[in-house]
DNA sequence: TTTCATTTACTTGTCAAACAAGATGATTCA
DNA sequence: TGAATCATCTTGTTTGACAAGTAAATGAAA
């Protein structure tokens, strides 16, 4: 099993965020000095500075040599649903406040077309598993998902059939191939016409399409996903700098 | 004038990215060790580590104690149109490959409604300037923008009328209030009905709406913007981790 | 008293050297 | 052969020091 063993820098980072909350600091306020922080958290200044550098990059704090560190714009939404946080669709839906169910619309083993083969870095024509699903809550469709996975991932245990109605992320984690990061692309579009008509999703409206390639911890590409998020139900926040 | 004086850590960060390109490293390859890098760039290990930490956070490199640092997923698209890079709409349109023109649809001085007042952190009812614009290229509408700015920003020089058909970012930079960062939110939607009909934008289709609050370097909020990006023309990339 | 230059203390920026801890491969010994 | 040990390489962390930028106190000159 993978045991990342949270580094002290990562612990520091959240410790500092907690401290900001505890001290009730807001925009423009001054943070304690490096000396005070390193004493409070019992770490050396170089280590502390690595953590502060991360918060700088996230635009949570501004730094001015000789003056100190000050809360910046990012502090205002350092938590709220950042689009850059990797999580499964199920988690994401939950964090938006929906208790959703998954409906398996279909799955099949298909040959990789050149486009998708390139994205997953597998030979064209090699077998992929294509899974089509819909998350919905109280009859309202929320996310329409298409996933492609290399069939080879499951060749070790060909007897059992995976349960595609559950979390694919969890499924892959079970065979030591859990995705940990992705490169993604976002744009606005409509559901493809045939999807709307075939599955009765006419009222879905404009969708936020996130296309992503998910990577396992060893760097192999394990999923290519197209997730259509219903525009009226989802939004994501981030800091630009 | 603002002279950020690029820190050595920032210089290191791009230096390392250049080195990765020069050495033609790709996914999974091993980076030079901290010792080699600190010698090559003539900096100490603690300083180098601050820069490496940034690249870690961007998911450009993975680190394993005792083994080394390795290129990760983010390296594949560390350049391509990241949504988290702050830039003006004009710059963004250009970086997507369009040579666009701006059409000023209207502007007015209006009282701040409570919602927008809160976002700009000004008293409700205080005077704002509302600017409505459209970028288009070869007759194709690309981005429909609504901007609100505190009128107080321009009180120092009330004689001249700003030119709203140019870049607002550049305009603010001219009075030492150029925005440097923003907190943003993205979702998919359609153009508001009345906008479509009033300005003949029926074929616009689904839009990627980016709402953002822009901050000047002193932390004051200078713009609240709603930018509707035509879905068929724009997409943004990022790394999730 | 007011003004301006200087000093002093404080803050972040950077460095050097050392040791701890995890990983890897070679060596040694049974 | 096989397994334990060791040397070595890598990243993780600490200590102490000095450089550089800022701001406030100080004190001399007008």
């Amino acid at each position: 099993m993978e045991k990342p063993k949270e580094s002290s820098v990562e612990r520091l980072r959240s410790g500092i965020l907690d401290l900001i909350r505890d001290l009730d600091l807001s925009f423009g306020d001054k943070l304690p000095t490096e000396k005070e922080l390193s004493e409070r958290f019992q770490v050396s200044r170089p280590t502390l500075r690595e953590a502060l550098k991360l918060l700088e990059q996230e635009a949570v704090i501004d730094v001015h040599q000789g003056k100190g560190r000050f809360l910046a714009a990012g502090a205002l939404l350092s938590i709220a649903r950042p689009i850059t946080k990797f999580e499964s669709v199920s988690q994401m839906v939950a964090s938006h406040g929906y208790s959703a169910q998954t409906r398996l619309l279909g799955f099949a083993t298909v040959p990789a077309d050149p486009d998708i083969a390139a994205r997953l870095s597998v030979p064209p024509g090699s077998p992929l598993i294509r899974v089509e699903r819909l998350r919905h809550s109280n009859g309202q469709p929320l996310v329409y998902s298409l996933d492609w996975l290399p069939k080879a991932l499951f060749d070790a245990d060909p007897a059992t059939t995976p349960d595609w109605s559950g979390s694919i992320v969890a499924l892959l984690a079970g065979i030591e191939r859990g995705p940990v990061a992705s490169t993604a692309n976002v744009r606005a579009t409509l559901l493809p016409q045939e999807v709307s008509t075939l599955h009765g999703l006419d009222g879905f409206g404009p969708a936020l399409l996130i296309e992503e390639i998910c990577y396992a911890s060893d760097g192999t590409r394990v999923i290519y996903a197209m997730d259509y998020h219903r525009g009226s139900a989802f939004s994501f926040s981030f800091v630009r700098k």
Side-chain angles (χ1 to χ4, degrees), chain A residues 3 46 65 168:
Chain A
K3 189 61 124 355
Q65 182 175 357
I168 290 186

Side-chain angles (χ1 to χ4, degrees), chain A residues 81 115 147 216:
Chain A
R81 293 200 289 276
D115 195 34
D147 296 86

Side-chain angles (χ1 to χ4, degrees), chain A residues 3 11-12 54 71 92 101 117-118 124 137 170 176 204 209 215-216:
Chain A
K3 189 61 124 355
R11 231 177 316 117
L12 262 179
L54 294 183
L71 272 250
M92 187 276 305
Q101 295 175 306
S137 176
E176 311 292 318
F204 201 82
L209 169 59
Y215 298 82

Side-chain angles (χ1 to χ4, degrees), chain A residues 138-197:
Chain A
N138 298 329
Q140 291 293 311
L142 293 175
V143 183
Y144 169 81
S145 300
L146 277 174
D147 296 86
W148 285 265
L149 301 88
K151 184 168 180 298
L153 288 175
F154 303 95
D155 284 351
D157 190 3
T160 65
T161 304
D163 172 21
W164 297 115
S165 62
S167 163
I168 290 186
V169 169
L171 194 63
L172 289 173
I175 56 171
E176 311 292 318
R177 290 304 190 84
V180 296
S182 70
T183 57
N185 200 277
V186 62
R187 65 175 199 268
T189 184
L190 296 174
L191 277 185
Q193 185 62 52
E194 67 271 22
V195 171
S196 288
T197 54

Side-chain angles (χ1 to χ4, degrees), chain A residues 24-95:
Chain A
D24 198 29
L25 301 180
S26 65
F27 200 108
D29 291 347
K30 187 175 180 305
L31 265 78
T33 66
E34 294 186 359
K35 183 165 178 294
E36 287 169 358
L37 288 174
S38 62
E39 282 165 4
R40 173 187 289 263
F41 291 109
Q42 290 287 300
V43 297
S44 67
R45 269 188 69 214
T47 301
L48 173 73
R49 284 176 57 87
E50 289 187 20
L52 290 170
K53 208 76 192 176
L54 294 183
L55 293 172
E56 254 176 71
Q57 172 158 286
E58 291 174 53
V60 172
I61 57 183
D62 260 352
V63 59
H64 299 282
Q65 182 175 357
K67 289 163 70 174
R69 290 190 155 84
F70 303 86
L71 272 250
L76 300 173
L77 59 88
S78 60
I79 311 300
R81 293 200 289 276
I83 197 172
T84 52
K85 170 89 183 297
F86 181 76
E87 54 185 5
S88 71
V89 174
S90 320
Q91 291 174 307
M92 187 276 305
V93 167
S95 80

